[in-house]
Amino acid sequence: MDISILKIVFVLSLALFLLPKRYQYFFGVVLHSALIAVSSFFAINAITQGQTMVTDALVTLLGKPIHLVVDHLTAFFILVVNFTMLTGLLYARGYLKPYHPKKDKTEMALHYFSFLWLHGSMLLACMARDALAFLLAWELMSISSFFLVIFDSEKQSTIKAGLNYLLQMHIGFVFILTGFLFAHVTTGAEFSFDGLAAYFQQNNPYFLFLLFFVGFGIKAGFIPLHTWLPHAHPAAPSHVSGVMSGVMIKMGIYGLLRVLTYIHTGLLPIGVFVLLVSILSGIFGVTMAIVQHDIKKLLAYHSIENIGIIGIGIGLGLIGLGQDIPVLAVLGFSGGILHILNHSLFKSLLFYSAGTVVQQTHSLNINHLGGLIKKMPVTAAFFLLGALAISGLPPFNGFISEFLIYSGMYKGLLAGNLFTAIIILFGFIALAVIGGLAIFCFTKVFSIVFLGSPRSGACKNAHEPAKSMLVPKTMAALVIIAIGLAPAVFVYPLQLATSVFTKDIQLIQGTIPVMNSISITSFVFLFLLGALALFRKFWLKKHPVDEGLTWGCGYTGANPASHQYTATSFANSIIELAPVVNVKKHGEEIREDEIFPKEREFETHSSDILEETMVSAPANKFIYLLEKIAVFQTGKLQNYLLYALLFLVAIFVLSLLKLM
């Protein structure tokens, strides 16, 4: 083709800036629908035909035709990206409505433009094998998401979070670029993903893998490469947070998986490394989530936790390949890859529900909320569904992916040696601890936000959002329930994606009888639950029911909000047991001789100890150095002329002494 499809999409997307505000959203929907239709066509064809799809040169870059490749792994990611972007787009209509009077036409157009190109760049990154095209898509993804993060640019904290995000994305970009260049220069092979195969065949894979792991790991949010994530998610609009957490950070996982398809030696050490980093990510992420007061920051740390769970599955899969334990490889990769889909569903649902709460209460602090289940029962139900799913409880989708990982570890214990058994045991313990802490955290956040009594006036005028904001939640909820109740249906596309690594499309089918048993058990459980609910309903019809305030323990005369658990008190046990959460208490202590304590304020603040030591401390030292150097910036012309003269003298002396 003489005209690149990228140019066509770019020209069409520029029309967003010309349209009136009331038409911009709908035109954006048309463009997104076109992207979804075309890319899903290739993905579904790749899955149904059971083979890799190579398109004609639909894209040209610097005059060079770029072929887009859709194998089973790419097809899986395309469908996940498209579904989450669709729900995010549908949610955005109602969420952005309050912004229309405050934002001008250009600002709204820039937001829709960036949202469209975030979608397109993720699809292109999944399909591109040429390194230049991939890096272009990767950079486009970072820039477009940066503009989405700083949508509330009136807030200084939002700009700071956006710049921090953009800087770290470019650090990751440098590592990825270095990895491609190093492989290209070392072997002379083509500058592409396929060119990595020559390097990994001829050289030790560890150094190059580490370069890519850092580059892609920053995007994914692995510990300790996560420090942008807890700031960018809370700063972004909720539909952007849902998309970034649901699919954008998974592009880091995609990049790692794509690189791993070319590595066939040294898989055991790489697998152990990925597993250990993932265990640290999962435990640190969920522990930090527990002590957060900001509901979106809490969900952001849970993204780190779930990246850890995905990484545990991938790490176990690599260990299975390295130790020639097929069942561990297949079930490890299957659980990790399925969790990519599962996390995109329940995390976007949680961010959409949290966004509704924030929109109605204008507060991110869960200590200011309470009792919202009475005013927003549908939102509460969706949030509860997402909380149960992310905690890995049946009969929802999070249980299925974690069950596959557990099954792989159990069967791997029986088939492996002592070393493998010890490594798997660490995975067992870590996954169990992560699951238990996740239940603890979401018990806290749901009970404090939705149960009890309002803790402030923020909840006074809260109500259910527009119906358009309930549609995307319903879509995500239905798929969450479908995977939980009928997991065997999803085995076929999952086995194709897994076969990219294991070359086995039969072994995972052995889990179908177990999946069917899970389905039957889940339906029986739901039937019994429904029967119990009906019995209760008919029984209460014949017996009078008195309603009143919750028992106040003899203190009903005071403000009920002052006699409830807060986020801090609920998480106090974790604060005491886990110094890594770095919680600092601010307030005047009550003395033992103070019989009638005076009124006082008390609050806690948690900071990320890894961010403080690895980012803040070096940055502060660099700023201090710049401040010292700034003494030369006098603003006087004669001083600047003197600097130039001194520089010329230094050059002359060094040349005279033959030091240059």
Side-chain angles (χ1 to χ4, degrees), residues 79 117 141 262 350 355 386 392 399 438 576:
L79 296 177
W117 279 99
M141 188 190 340
Y262 299 100
L350 286 167
F399 170 77
E576 299 296 332

Side-chain angles (χ1 to χ4, degrees), residues 72-114:
H72 300 138
L73 182 65
T74 298
F76 177 85
F77 273 90
I78 286 173
L79 296 177
V80 173
V81 167
N82 283 342
F83 185 84
T84 304
M85 290 300 299
L86 177 60
T87 60
L89 183 65
L90 295 175
Y91 181 84
R93 182 185 178 188
Y95 186 85
L96 292 175
K97 191 169 290 185
Y99 288 93
H100 277 262
K102 298 184 290 185
K103 300 283 186 179
D104 61 31
K105 184 179 78 170
T106 303
E107 289 175 305
M108 294 304 298
L110 178 61
H111 185 76
Y112 293 127
F113 179 86
S114 300

Side-chain angles (χ1 to χ4, degrees), residues 621-633:
K621 290 180 180 179
F622 182 67
I623 292 172
Y624 176 78
L625 177 63
L626 291 179
E627 289 174 347
K628 291 295 184 183
I629 296 175
V631 69
F632 295 101
Q633 189 176 353

Side-chain angles (χ1 to χ4, degrees), residues 346 350 383-394 396-399 442:
F346 54 63
L350 286 167
F383 192 94
L384 179 60
L385 174 63
L388 293 171
I390 198 174
S391 299
L393 296 176
F396 305 110
N397 63 343
F399 170 77
F442 278 98

